[in-house]
Structures are given as structure tokens and as C-alpha cells.
Amino acid sequence: MSDRTPADRFLDAAIDLLHRVRDEEAGSIAAAGTLLADTVADGGRLFAFGAGHSSLAAQDVVYRAGGLALMNLLAVPGAVGVDVTPATLGSALERVDGLATAVLGSSPLRAGDALVIISLSGRNALPVEMAMRARALGVRVIGVTSVAYASETTPRHSSGTFLKDHCDVVLDSKIAVGDAELTLDNVPAPFAPASTVVTSALLQAVVATAAATLAERGIEPPLLRSGNVDGGHEWNTRIFEQYGDRIFYRH
């Protein structure tokens, strides 16, 4: 009998997935990082969106020490995280046609901006419609999703398409349908999701690529520093002043 604990098995599964995205998604990571760098260099703004738990990875790249100061959260009231009560309302809102169009219509997004849309399944109306409408506005879209859902589930948007079908760059998280890495004979359902770990790592790899790409072009990447290190507040104040017209989470 194996002496590997459930914790061992989960961590090994997460590490294996990280190895897969490193090796299999290298080209897409480079393309996504270049897209963000191009947007910054051309005067565009950066936005990230995710509904439910997919919002965790979006929030992880917004106002983050070591991250790009220009990354803004595109929030959909009631669909960001599980802070809404009941939490199931967020899941219901993801399936509402027209919601993404209304959100984009009242957002600051404009042609030349870049939007990262995170949706594990990529099948619900909200992320699909958001990608479609954003591209129609001239916004470039990076989709972070599990491509497996497109072949193993049915779409919920009226177009019959998935998020992956409406992106300039697609990052495949490789997460299996159901997002649960472990099973045990005495546990009736699969458990231990790894999508947050993998998706967050993917996006941090993209941000790292964007920062390095800007530096290679002779452009100082607009990075934030930790406020808990000496000089951090002064550094960030300079960045906020320089790029204030492209940062929306301070207003």
C-alpha cells in the first residue's frame, strides 16, 4: 500500500500540471506576455476579469507587489468571488446573457486595451460574451481556460461557442473537467482542486514575460514594490503619478 498521503498526492498533481503548462504552453505564455508589453508600450491599459473562484487569479495580478501597476480588475457585481450572499448567485450570474455587454458598456475599456479573461470551463455566457464584445470594441483578449471543457462539455452561450473561440491568445491550464485531482475509495466525490494554483502561476509567468519584454525594449516596466520594504511607498507613488491615467483602482 502506498505511503503517500493525500497532501503528497495533491502537491505532486499540482507540480505535474505546472510542469505541463511550462513545457506545453511556453509559446502561448510568450505571446500573452508580448501582447501585454505591446499594450503598455502603445499607451493602452490592462484589465483582468474572472468570475467566482476564477476571480482569485485575476485579483492576484492587480495592485500586486512585483506586478504590473497598470493591471486593473474588471469587476462584475455579484460575480467576483464568493462574497455575495447567497454564493450560488455568482454562478447564476455567469449564465445571464447580456450581462457582459452591460458591464463593458459602463467600463473604461477602449480600443487598444488588453483584457485577460479567466474562466476554467469557458462555457458560460458571461466570459464568452465578454470576449466577443471586448474584441468588437478593439480590445485584445487573452483567455485563460481549460481547453478540455470544449470537447467534454456543452456550451451555455447562445452562439454555441467557448471562451477559447474568441481570444487573441489562449492559455490552456490543462485542468481536467471537474477540477478535482484526488479520489479515494471511501470518499464519494473527487476532491482537491488545482485550478487556482495553476492559473495564478500561468498569469504570473505572463506578467514576468511582459516585464522582461518591456525592459528588453528599453522601457522601464511599471512595476509595483512592496509597501513593507523601505522605499516601497515612495517607489509606488512615483509609478502612480507617472501612470495615473491608466490606473483605475485608486479612484
Side-chain angles (χ1 to χ4, degrees), residues 49-53 55-56 59 73-84 90 93:
F49 164 78
H53 287 95
S55 179
L56 295 175
Q59 294 178 58
L73 185 68
L74 180 63
V76 176
V80 179
V82 292
D83 56 336
V84 63
L93 289 173

Side-chain angles (χ1 to χ4, degrees), residues 11 25 51 56 58 67 95 104 109 112 120 124 142 157 177 192 235:
L11 291 171
E25 295 299 298
L56 295 175
R95 304 181 188 185
L104 290 176
L109 266 90
L120 178 62
N124 288 310
I142 297 170
H157 187 256
V177 173
W235 174 281

Side-chain angles (χ1 to χ4, degrees), residues 48-234:
F49 164 78
H53 287 95
S54 289
S55 179
L56 295 175
Q59 294 178 58
D60 191 48
V61 293
V62 175
Y63 187 47
R64 182 64 188 263
L68 291 170
L70 306 192
M71 185 65 77
N72 301 278
L73 185 68
L74 180 63
V76 176
V80 179
V82 292
D83 56 336
V84 63
T85 303
T88 51
L89 175 60
S91 298
L93 289 173
E94 287 188 69
R95 304 181 188 185
V96 174
D97 287 332
L99 180 57
T101 298
V103 168
L104 290 176
S106 60
S107 78
L109 266 90
R110 66 188 184 193
D113 291 345
L115 171 62
V116 178
I117 300 177
I118 306 156
S119 173
L120 178 62
S121 72
R123 68 189 299 222
N124 288 310
L126 182 55
V128 174
E129 181 184 327
M130 185 169 288
M132 294 173 70
R133 292 296 306 148
R135 292 183 87 191
L137 293 172
V139 174
R140 289 173 291 183
V141 175
I142 297 170
V144 189
T145 187
S146 170
V147 172
Y149 277 82
S151 59
E152 299 180 38
T153 68
T154 55
R156 288 176 172 154
H157 187 256
S158 57
S159 66
T161 60
F162 288 79
L163 170 61
K164 73 174 186 64
D165 300 317
H166 306 284
C167 300
D168 296 277
V169 180
V170 175
L171 298 171
D172 183 3
S173 64
K174 315 294 181 182
I175 299 295
V177 173
D179 193 17
E181 294 299 321
L182 302 184
T183 58
L184 286 174
D185 292 341
N186 60 350
V187 177
F191 60 103
S195 60
T196 303
V197 173
V198 177
T199 303
S200 292
L202 264 173
L203 285 181
Q204 291 298 347
V206 169
V207 171
T209 301
T213 300
L214 286 167
E216 289 169 0
R217 298 178 184 178
I219 301 171
E220 179 188 337
L223 297 170
L224 294 174
R225 300 192 70 178
S226 172
N228 296 313
V229 300
D230 291 342
H233 286 300
E234 292 78 11

